[in-house]
Amino acid sequence: MVDCKNIVVSVIVLLSSWLLFVGHDHPRLLGRAQRPLTAPAAAASSVLHVGALLDLGSTGGRESRASISLALDDFYASRQPDTTVELHVADCKDDEITAASAAIDLLKDFKVQAIIGPKTSMQARFIIGIGNMTNVPILSYSATSPYLSAKQSKYFIRTALDDASQVPAIASLIEYFSWRQAVLIYDDSEFGRGIIPYLVDALQDIDTHIPYRSIIPSVPTDDQINVELNKLKTMQTRVFVVHMSSDVAARFFVLAHDAEMLVDGYAWIVTDSVGNMFSTLDGNTIHSMQGVLGVRPYIPRLDKLLNFRARFLSRYKQQNPGAPEPANPNVFHLWAYDTAWAIAIALTKVGPLTLGFKSPSSQNSNDLNDLRVLGVSQDGPRLVDAIQATKFQGISGEFILVNGQRQASVFEIFNVIGNSYQSAGFWTPKFGLSKKLVTSSGPSDTVGLNTLIWPGGSAQAPRGWEWPVAGKKLKIAVPVKPAPNAFVNVKKNPATGKFDVTGYCIDVFEAVMQEMPYAVPYEYVPVVDPNMATNSTISYTEICHQVSLKKYDAMVGDTTIIINRSLYVDFTLPYTESGVQMVVPMKKNWSTSLWVFLKPIEPILWAAFLSVFVFTSFVIWLVEHKESRDFGGSAWKQLVNIAYFSFQALLAVPKDPKLKKWLSKFALINLVLLVWLLEKLYSASLTSMMTVHQLQPTVDDLNQLISNGDYIGYQGGSFVKDFLKSQKVEEHKIRKYSSTDQYAEALMKGSWNGGVAAVFDEIPYLKLFMSKHCRNHSIVGRVHKTGGFGFVFPKGSPLVADVSRAILTVTEGDKFAGIEQRWFGYEVTCNNQANAIESGSVITLSSLRGVFFITIGLWAVVGVICAVIWFRPRQEEEPVQEAVAELAVEHVRGNRDESIIWRIGRDSHLLIQLRGNPPRPADTGAKEVAQPEAGLDGVEPPPDTINLEGPDEQVRLVEHPLLTAAAENDKRNEQRN
C-alpha cells in the first residue's frame, strides 16, 4: 500500500512540476501564492506561515478568504502573542491538479506549516497525500465526503461535518412519518455517491425500502433531468431524498415544479448540501421548493454572530472592490472562520516553531521533481496535536475535534415557506426530533415537529405512496383449482372468454378494497399450471415467488402465512383463523367391559365413599351399642349387624326402629343424603356413557398415524405436504386431493383400501368439511399453528400497511359476518361435543369435596356431643362397681331341686321369653311359691318365680344385693338421657 501511494504521489508531482514550469510562461494555469508585503526572514521565529487553497475565481472562494482573514484579525486584535500567523492564499481553481500544484508552491516558496482548504473532496484527496509526506496539517472546512477520513492520515483534519453525520436526522424524519419507501436522488459524483451507503443502511434499520435510485449527471442538461422526473412521476413512491450540489439542485427543483411534482401527496427532503447554501438560491428556485423539508447543521445565535454579517461584508468589499455584494454568509464561511481561529489558538499553546523543515540528503534528491525535495516539517507533529486538542466556542458553535473530525451535535429541520424557510424542529443524537431545542429530558409535548406546510399547501402529511397517474392496474394473481371451491372459484365464461372469479377470499378482498383510503384499480389474473390438463394452479409457494419477482403485483386467495414465504414476500394481517389439524372418521365404541359400571366414578371417589360408609357405621355403633340389643353380642355378630344395617341404609331409609339415640339417627341421615346425591350423579354419568359417547375417533394424533404406517391426505397446492414431510411422514404415504368431498370418500375407504386414515388441512377448510360431514368425522389432534390466510404483496410494498388496516375495519364490522354467512351458512363449524373423544363425564372426588367436608364436620359434631354425654356423668358420680348381679334361676323338674345361676354383666342383656300358661299349684305338685298373675286365669305368681315351660318347668328369681344396686343405677342413667 505504501509503494502504491508513493507511485501515485510521484505521478502527481511530475504533473505538478510540469505545470509549475509551464506556469512561468502561462500564469493563467496556476494561481500564484499571495506573497506578503515584505518577505519573511528565514530565521524569524515569531511568524507561522499558513497557506490557504481557495478558488478565487468563484464568489464562494473570495467569501472564504474574507472569513479567514477576518478571523485572524479578530484573534490578534486583543492579544500580543509571541508567534503570529501570516496567511498565504493560493488560487486552486476548481480542479484537482491545480490544487495539488498550488499546495506544492506554498510548501516550496513559503515553507507553510499548515494549509487551510481545499474546497472540494476530490482536491482534498490529492492534498492529503502531500500533507502526510511533509507532516504539514491539512485543515478542510468544506470537504464533506464521507469517503475522506481523518483515520487515513494523522495530518488531515476536517473542521466541517461530513455528509454522513446528517443521515440519522433524515432517517428520523422518515420514521416519524411512517414512510415505508423512499427514492434517493443524487448527482453522479464522488460528493453525491459518498452519502448513499450510509443512507441505505440507516433506512434499512427503520425498515424503509428504497425501490429506486435516481442518478443525475454531475453537469446535467434539462432533458436529462426531465427524463428522470418522468420516471419518478410514474412510480408509486412519493418520498424523495435529494443530495446534490446547490447549483444542480436549483435547476432540478425548477423542472420538478414544472412537471407538477411539488403538489399534494409528494414529500421532498433535501440534505445540508442544499440547506447550507439556501441563502444563495434565487427567488424562482425558492418558489419552486414550497413545502420542501431540509436538514442542516444548527448554528446557535451567539452574540459574536449578530454583527458578523456586517463585518464580513465590509471585509469582502475591501478585498474585492467593485464586486457585487455577496449573499449572507453561510455555514462554510463560519467554519472557515473557526478553522483560522483554531490554528491561532493552537499556535499560542505550542509556542514558536523553530525546528523548521528537514531537507532531504543530497543522495536522495537527484531528481528535482521528487516530492521529497520539499522536506519534512519537524514542528508538524506538535502543531497537529495542538490543533486536535483545541476546544473553544466558535462562531458556528462549539468547536470540538474527535479523531481529527468535527462532531455533529444538533441539526435543524427547516420547512421552505414563502420567500424563505421556517424552523420546524431540531434533531439531537440523544433526544431525536423535538419542536424546541432540548439539552435535557423535557416535557413530552416537545417531542416531534411543529406544524409543517407540504407541497401543494396541505398541512396533512403525505402518506408517502400514491397510485401513479400513468400507472396500470394491479395484476392480482388468483389460484385456479379443478373443483369448485368456496374459498376461491374461477370459471371461464364461454360467451366472453373472460374469467369469473368468486369465492369467500375474493369477497373479503373486494370488501377490503372498498375500505382503502384511495382508489386502487386492479384486475384478476388466474394462474394455471400449463403442464396440467386439469387447468389447476401451480403451487401457492411458486405463485408467491412470482409475486416477489414482480410478475404479479399481489396474490389473493386462500394463501396461508408461513415463515418460508415471508422471507421473499410481504403478507397483510390474517383474516381467518390459523392452524393445521387433522380430520378422522369416527367408529362405534360400545363398551363391553366387565367393569363398565364402575367407570362413572373415579377410583379414588369409590375409596372415599367406602371410608365414609365404614366410619358412619362405626359412629352408629359407638352411640347405640350400650342401649340397643341389635348392636350387642360378640364382636363378629356386632360387625355383621353394623354392615347389614349400613348397607340397608344405602337402598332406603331403614324403617325398623332399631336406633335408640338421636345422635345415631343424625349420622345416618347424613349418610343417606350423601348416598342420594351420589346415586343421582352416578345414574346420569352412566346414562351419558352408554348412550351419548357411542363414537370414538379411529386415530388420536399424527404419531399414531406414522407408527401405523397409514396413508395421509392433503389438499393439492397447499403447503401441508411440506409440513407433513417435516414431521417425518414418508412422501409415498401422502395422497393429494382437490376438494373436501374427496376427503369424505377417501376417509370412508380407509388407509388400506385406496383411501387415507386421516386428512390434514387448514382449520378454515376443516370447518367447511365438518359443516357437511360432521356426523361421522371428528377434528382431533393438536393444532399446528400457522399465520392464517392473508393477501400477498411484493417485499416492501406500501400497500401492505393500508390493506392491513382495511382488513381490521372489515373483520371488526358486520360486513365480514355477512360474507361468512353467504359462503358457509349460519352453522360454519361442527359441534364437536357430540363426537367428543373424552371418556365421559366421570365423577371426581374434587367435584364432591364440599359434600365430604360437610360429612366430616358432622362427624366431628357427633363425636363431641357423644363424648360430652358419655364422660360427664362418670366424672360427677361415684363409680359403681363393675360387678354385676347374679340371677339365680331355679329349674324345677318334678320333685328334684336343681339351681342354675347365670352371672349378668353391666353390658349384658337378659331376654326371658314366657311361653305357655302359668301352672296351677294343684296341677304341678310343686310347693306353692307364687300366686297366679292377674289376667292369667286369675292366679298371680309370686314375685320371685316365673313359669317358663309350663307345669313341669319353673324358674325362680333369687334376689341379690348387687342386682338391686345395678337396677337403681340404670334407672338414674335412663332418667338423665
PDB file of all heavy atoms in Angstrom, residues 64 83 90 98 140 146 188 301 325 350 390 566 575 674 777 865 915 950 959:
ATOM      1  N   SER A  64     -14.734  33.002   1.433  1.00  0.00           N
ATOM      2  CA  SER A  64     -13.962  32.244   2.421  1.00  0.00           C
ATOM      3  C   SER A  64     -12.688  32.991   2.796  1.00  0.00           C
ATOM      4  O   SER A  64     -12.271  32.997   3.974  1.00  0.00           O
ATOM      5  CB  SER A  64     -13.617  30.854   1.863  1.00  0.00           C
ATOM      6  OG  SER A  64     -14.779  30.108   1.626  1.00  0.00           O
ATOM      7  N   THR A  83       4.028  34.408  18.788  1.00  0.00           N
ATOM      8  CA  THR A  83       4.033  33.958  17.403  1.00  0.00           C
ATOM      9  C   THR A  83       2.696  34.314  16.766  1.00  0.00           C
ATOM     10  O   THR A  83       1.638  34.109  17.362  1.00  0.00           O
ATOM     11  CB  THR A  83       4.253  32.442  17.326  1.00  0.00           C
ATOM     12  OG1 THR A  83       5.470  32.124  17.997  1.00  0.00           O
ATOM     13  CG2 THR A  83       4.344  31.991  15.880  1.00  0.00           C
ATOM     14  N   ALA A  90      -3.493  30.839  -2.112  1.00  0.00           N
ATOM     15  CA  ALA A  90      -3.205  30.349  -3.460  1.00  0.00           C
ATOM     16  C   ALA A  90      -4.519  30.026  -4.145  1.00  0.00           C
ATOM     17  O   ALA A  90      -5.436  29.456  -3.529  1.00  0.00           O
ATOM     18  CB  ALA A  90      -2.304  29.129  -3.412  1.00  0.00           C
ATOM     19  N   THR A  98      -4.571  21.448 -10.333  1.00  0.00           N
ATOM     20  CA  THR A  98      -4.206  22.814  -9.977  1.00  0.00           C
ATOM     21  C   THR A  98      -4.087  22.974  -8.476  1.00  0.00           C
ATOM     22  O   THR A  98      -3.180  23.667  -7.974  1.00  0.00           O
ATOM     23  CB  THR A  98      -5.257  23.799 -10.524  1.00  0.00           C
ATOM     24  OG1 THR A  98      -5.382  23.613 -11.933  1.00  0.00           O
ATOM     25  CG2 THR A  98      -4.858  25.225 -10.229  1.00  0.00           C
ATOM     26  N   SER A 140      -9.512  21.122   6.336  1.00  0.00           N
ATOM     27  CA  SER A 140     -10.546  21.388   5.340  1.00  0.00           C
ATOM     28  C   SER A 140     -11.860  21.711   6.038  1.00  0.00           C
ATOM     29  O   SER A 140     -12.310  20.965   6.908  1.00  0.00           O
ATOM     30  CB  SER A 140     -10.729  20.187   4.412  1.00  0.00           C
ATOM     31  OG  SER A 140     -11.766  20.426   3.496  1.00  0.00           O
ATOM     32  N   PRO A 146     -17.961  11.521   2.956  1.00  0.00           N
ATOM     33  CA  PRO A 146     -17.592  10.501   3.952  1.00  0.00           C
ATOM     34  C   PRO A 146     -16.451   9.607   3.506  1.00  0.00           C
ATOM     35  O   PRO A 146     -15.867   8.907   4.331  1.00  0.00           O
ATOM     36  CB  PRO A 146     -18.892   9.688   4.107  1.00  0.00           C
ATOM     37  CG  PRO A 146     -19.975  10.574   3.605  1.00  0.00           C
ATOM     38  CD  PRO A 146     -19.350  11.382   2.516  1.00  0.00           C
ATOM     39  N   ASP A 188     -24.126  12.274  -9.958  1.00  0.00           N
ATOM     40  CA  ASP A 188     -23.141  11.233 -10.246  1.00  0.00           C
ATOM     41  C   ASP A 188     -21.737  11.791 -10.051  1.00  0.00           C
ATOM     42  O   ASP A 188     -21.014  12.103 -11.007  1.00  0.00           O
ATOM     43  CB  ASP A 188     -23.340  10.733 -11.675  1.00  0.00           C
ATOM     44  CG  ASP A 188     -22.521   9.485 -11.950  1.00  0.00           C
ATOM     45  OD1 ASP A 188     -21.990   8.902 -10.983  1.00  0.00           O
ATOM     46  OD2 ASP A 188     -22.427   9.091 -13.131  1.00  0.00           O
ATOM     47  N   ARG A 301     -27.409  31.174  17.861  1.00  0.00           N
ATOM     48  CA  ARG A 301     -27.378  32.630  17.688  1.00  0.00           C
ATOM     49  C   ARG A 301     -26.584  33.254  18.845  1.00  0.00           C
ATOM     50  O   ARG A 301     -27.147  33.757  19.822  1.00  0.00           O
ATOM     51  CB  ARG A 301     -28.798  33.191  17.636  1.00  0.00           C
ATOM     52  CG  ARG A 301     -29.586  32.640  16.457  1.00  0.00           C
ATOM     53  CD  ARG A 301     -30.968  33.285  16.360  1.00  0.00           C
ATOM     54  NE  ARG A 301     -31.716  32.764  15.230  1.00  0.00           N
ATOM     55  CZ  ARG A 301     -31.597  33.207  13.985  1.00  0.00           C
ATOM     56  NH1 ARG A 301     -30.763  34.203  13.713  1.00  0.00           N
ATOM     57  NH2 ARG A 301     -32.308  32.688  13.004  1.00  0.00           N
ATOM     58  N   GLU A 325     -22.279  42.799  -4.229  1.00  0.00           N
ATOM     59  CA  GLU A 325     -22.403  42.441  -2.806  1.00  0.00           C
ATOM     60  C   GLU A 325     -22.824  40.981  -2.691  1.00  0.00           C
ATOM     61  O   GLU A 325     -23.790  40.552  -3.323  1.00  0.00           O
ATOM     62  CB  GLU A 325     -23.415  43.341  -2.131  1.00  0.00           C
ATOM     63  CG  GLU A 325     -23.559  43.059  -0.649  1.00  0.00           C
ATOM     64  CD  GLU A 325     -24.471  44.061   0.034  1.00  0.00           C
ATOM     65  OE1 GLU A 325     -24.399  45.251  -0.296  1.00  0.00           O
ATOM     66  OE2 GLU A 325     -25.265  43.649   0.902  1.00  0.00           O
ATOM     67  N   VAL A 350       1.626  25.901  21.596  1.00  0.00           N
ATOM     68  CA  VAL A 350       2.917  25.246  21.332  1.00  0.00           C
ATOM     69  C   VAL A 350       4.078  26.224  21.315  1.00  0.00           C
ATOM     70  O   VAL A 350       5.243  25.812  21.403  1.00  0.00           O
ATOM     71  CB  VAL A 350       2.853  24.487  19.991  1.00  0.00           C
ATOM     72  CG1 VAL A 350       1.800  23.409  20.044  1.00  0.00           C
ATOM     73  CG2 VAL A 350       2.593  25.438  18.825  1.00  0.00           C
ATOM     74  N   THR A 390      -7.598  21.335  20.526  1.00  0.00           N
ATOM     75  CA  THR A 390      -8.171  22.666  20.721  1.00  0.00           C
ATOM     76  C   THR A 390      -9.687  22.571  20.887  1.00  0.00           C
ATOM     77  O   THR A 390     -10.368  21.897  20.106  1.00  0.00           O
ATOM     78  CB  THR A 390      -7.840  23.572  19.523  1.00  0.00           C
ATOM     79  OG1 THR A 390      -6.417  23.690  19.439  1.00  0.00           O
ATOM     80  CG2 THR A 390      -8.465  24.938  19.700  1.00  0.00           C
ATOM     81  N   SER A 566     -42.697 -15.755   3.888  1.00  0.00           N
ATOM     82  CA  SER A 566     -42.487 -14.381   4.341  1.00  0.00           C
ATOM     83  C   SER A 566     -41.059 -13.895   4.135  1.00  0.00           C
ATOM     84  O   SER A 566     -40.786 -12.709   4.317  1.00  0.00           O
ATOM     85  CB  SER A 566     -42.856 -14.258   5.826  1.00  0.00           C
ATOM     86  OG  SER A 566     -41.968 -15.017   6.626  1.00  0.00           O
ATOM     87  N   TYR A 575     -56.952 -12.777   7.932  1.00  0.00           N
ATOM     88  CA  TYR A 575     -58.393 -12.552   8.064  1.00  0.00           C
ATOM     89  C   TYR A 575     -59.144 -13.838   8.397  1.00  0.00           C
ATOM     90  O   TYR A 575     -60.378 -13.863   8.369  1.00  0.00           O
ATOM     91  CB  TYR A 575     -58.954 -11.926   6.777  1.00  0.00           C
ATOM     92  CG  TYR A 575     -58.697 -12.702   5.514  1.00  0.00           C
ATOM     93  CD1 TYR A 575     -59.599 -13.666   5.070  1.00  0.00           C
ATOM     94  CD2 TYR A 575     -57.555 -12.483   4.754  1.00  0.00           C
ATOM     95  CE1 TYR A 575     -59.362 -14.380   3.914  1.00  0.00           C
ATOM     96  CE2 TYR A 575     -57.318 -13.192   3.586  1.00  0.00           C
ATOM     97  CZ  TYR A 575     -58.229 -14.141   3.170  1.00  0.00           C
ATOM     98  OH  TYR A 575     -57.991 -14.848   2.028  1.00  0.00           O
ATOM     99  N   LEU A 674     -75.800 -38.239  51.394  1.00  0.00           N
ATOM    100  CA  LEU A 674     -74.649 -38.451  50.529  1.00  0.00           C
ATOM    101  C   LEU A 674     -74.922 -39.548  49.513  1.00  0.00           C
ATOM    102  O   LEU A 674     -74.592 -39.423  48.327  1.00  0.00           O
ATOM    103  CB  LEU A 674     -73.424 -38.795  51.383  1.00  0.00           C
ATOM    104  CG  LEU A 674     -72.137 -39.105  50.614  1.00  0.00           C
ATOM    105  CD1 LEU A 674     -71.694 -37.892  49.800  1.00  0.00           C
ATOM    106  CD2 LEU A 674     -71.028 -39.532  51.574  1.00  0.00           C
ATOM    107  N   HIS A 777     -67.391 -37.829  11.412  1.00  0.00           N
ATOM    108  CA  HIS A 777     -65.994 -37.418  11.420  1.00  0.00           C
ATOM    109  C   HIS A 777     -65.731 -36.491  12.603  1.00  0.00           C
ATOM    110  O   HIS A 777     -66.665 -35.895  13.154  1.00  0.00           O
ATOM    111  CB  HIS A 777     -65.621 -36.718  10.105  1.00  0.00           C
ATOM    112  CG  HIS A 777     -65.807 -37.572   8.891  1.00  0.00           C
ATOM    113  ND1 HIS A 777     -67.025 -37.682   8.239  1.00  0.00           N
ATOM    114  CD2 HIS A 777     -64.929 -38.374   8.205  1.00  0.00           C
ATOM    115  CE1 HIS A 777     -66.910 -38.508   7.208  1.00  0.00           C
ATOM    116  NE2 HIS A 777     -65.647 -38.935   7.165  1.00  0.00           N
ATOM    117  N   ILE A 865     -70.455 -34.330  70.891  1.00  0.00           N
ATOM    118  CA  ILE A 865     -71.649 -34.490  71.737  1.00  0.00           C
ATOM    119  C   ILE A 865     -71.633 -35.829  72.448  1.00  0.00           C
ATOM    120  O   ILE A 865     -71.938 -35.932  73.648  1.00  0.00           O
ATOM    121  CB  ILE A 865     -72.913 -34.343  70.869  1.00  0.00           C
ATOM    122  CG1 ILE A 865     -72.996 -32.926  70.307  1.00  0.00           C
ATOM    123  CG2 ILE A 865     -74.159 -34.663  71.673  1.00  0.00           C
ATOM    124  CD1 ILE A 865     -74.157 -32.714  69.363  1.00  0.00           C
ATOM    125  N   ARG A 915     -93.510 -68.623  77.689  1.00  0.00           N
ATOM    126  CA  ARG A 915     -94.259 -69.463  76.773  1.00  0.00           C
ATOM    127  C   ARG A 915     -95.258 -70.332  77.557  1.00  0.00           C
ATOM    128  O   ARG A 915     -94.937 -70.886  78.600  1.00  0.00           O
ATOM    129  CB  ARG A 915     -93.314 -70.367  75.984  1.00  0.00           C
ATOM    130  CG  ARG A 915     -92.251 -69.575  75.219  1.00  0.00           C
ATOM    131  CD  ARG A 915     -91.285 -70.486  74.528  1.00  0.00           C
ATOM    132  NE  ARG A 915     -92.009 -71.293  73.519  1.00  0.00           N
ATOM    133  CZ  ARG A 915     -91.394 -72.236  72.785  1.00  0.00           C
ATOM    134  NH1 ARG A 915     -90.110 -72.481  72.948  1.00  0.00           N
ATOM    135  NH2 ARG A 915     -92.085 -72.931  71.887  1.00  0.00           N
ATOM    136  N   GLY A 950     -94.189 -74.271  81.320  1.00  0.00           N
ATOM    137  CA  GLY A 950     -95.465 -74.968  81.642  1.00  0.00           C
ATOM    138  C   GLY A 950     -95.409 -75.618  83.011  1.00  0.00           C
ATOM    139  O   GLY A 950     -94.637 -75.219  83.887  1.00  0.00           O
ATOM    140  N   GLU A 959     -83.204 -62.984  94.721  1.00  0.00           N
ATOM    141  CA  GLU A 959     -82.742 -61.611  94.911  1.00  0.00           C
ATOM    142  C   GLU A 959     -81.274 -61.595  95.278  1.00  0.00           C
ATOM    143  O   GLU A 959     -80.769 -62.489  95.953  1.00  0.00           O
ATOM    144  CB  GLU A 959     -83.560 -60.936  96.002  1.00  0.00           C
ATOM    145  CG  GLU A 959     -85.024 -60.760  95.646  1.00  0.00           C
ATOM    146  CD  GLU A 959     -85.781 -60.003  96.737  1.00  0.00           C
ATOM    147  OE1 GLU A 959     -85.143 -59.676  97.750  1.00  0.00           O
ATOM    148  OE2 GLU A 959     -86.973 -59.734  96.535  1.00  0.00           O
TER     149      GLU A 959
END
